[in-house]
């Protein structure tokens, strides 16, 4: 039978990563963090001093960069980029900005398409990103579009940053999030939008465990 797929798309700060990881673990399925692939290519482009205005060079980099996920029993896998542990570097704002720049290049998206498809193996796959249900795994039987209000996402981001000892006002974060939402929704290549057959889940004010239960129920309920 076909390998079952659950796609979870949505804006950053919607809780996608957290929810996807837990759901994949509960189901015993593989997990694809597609944002990490874009971040890895963005970081590799920086290391190689690649010309960001040369789509062919970026596509080559996207195709040839070796990206490995190592789960050594800990919750968060280490990410190796061309053999170098880049886990911490991938989480930085710089890597996020680099990812979003190279993600706008159609040739890069095409080059990463097969790398993402390769994650599809039995017994199943949870794929987390922006275009998992629309472009990369359109055949998925289970699709979630996870959202949260901009205010809630700003609050979550504020908590993450202050836990790390960084002080930024919620207001500044809110304005950044609103600007990024507008950019992501309006970009020509793979704009962020829900697949027509996705179930919209708004996580505003809902505890993680309740969102996990809701998503698991979609996958395990018959029909
Ligand atoms: O999800 P994450 O914040 O790690 O993604 C980093 C960037 O990679 C996003 O801002 C987006 O521009 C890009 N991305 C994408 N398509 C995906 C996943 C991420 O364009 N499927």
């Amino acid at each position: 039978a076909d390998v079952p797929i659950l796609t979870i798309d949505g804006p950053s700060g919607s809780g996608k990563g957290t929810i996807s990881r837990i759901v994949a673990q509960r189901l015993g399925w593989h997990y694809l963090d597609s944002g990490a692939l874009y971040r890895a290519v963005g970081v590799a482009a920086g290391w190689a001093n690649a010309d960001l205005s040369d789509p062919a060079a970026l596509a080559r980099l996207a195709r040839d960069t070796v990206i490995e996920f190592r789960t050594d029993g800990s919750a968060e896998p280490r990410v190796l980029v061309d053999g170098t542990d880049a886990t911490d570097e991938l989480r930085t704002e710089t890597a996020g900005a680099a990812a979003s720049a190279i993600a706008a290049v159609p040739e890069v998206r095409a080059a990463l398409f097969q790398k993402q498809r390769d994650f599809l193996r039995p017994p199943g796959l949870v794929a987390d990103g922006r275009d998992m249900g629309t472009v990369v795994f359109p055949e998925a039987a289970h699709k979630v579009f996870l959202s949260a209000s901009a205010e809630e996402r700003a609050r979550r981001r504020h908590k993450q940053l202050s836990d790390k000892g960084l002080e930024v006002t919620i207001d500044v974060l809110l304005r950044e999030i609103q600007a990024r939402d507008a950019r992501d929704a309006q970009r020509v290549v793979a704009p962020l939008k829900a697949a027509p057959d996705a179930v919209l889940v708004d996580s505003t004010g809902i505890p993680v465990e309740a969102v996990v239960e809701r998503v698991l129920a979609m996958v395990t309920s018959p029909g």
Side-chain angles (χ1 to χ4, degrees), residues 155-167:
R155 274 195 299 274
R156 289 177 187 167
R157 184 86 187 119
H158 182 260
K159 182 173 182 313
Q160 275 176 358
L161 292 174
S162 56
D163 286 350
K164 282 198 263 179
L166 300 168
E167 276 314 322

Side-chain angles (χ1 to χ4, degrees), residues 12 16 34-36 38-39 99-100 103 109 129-132 187:
S12 63
K16 267 179 315 145
S34 63
Y38 285 94
R39 286 169 185 266
S100 122
R109 306 198 73 88
R130 304 288 191 287
D131 61 346
M132 298 298 98
R187 75 174 172 204

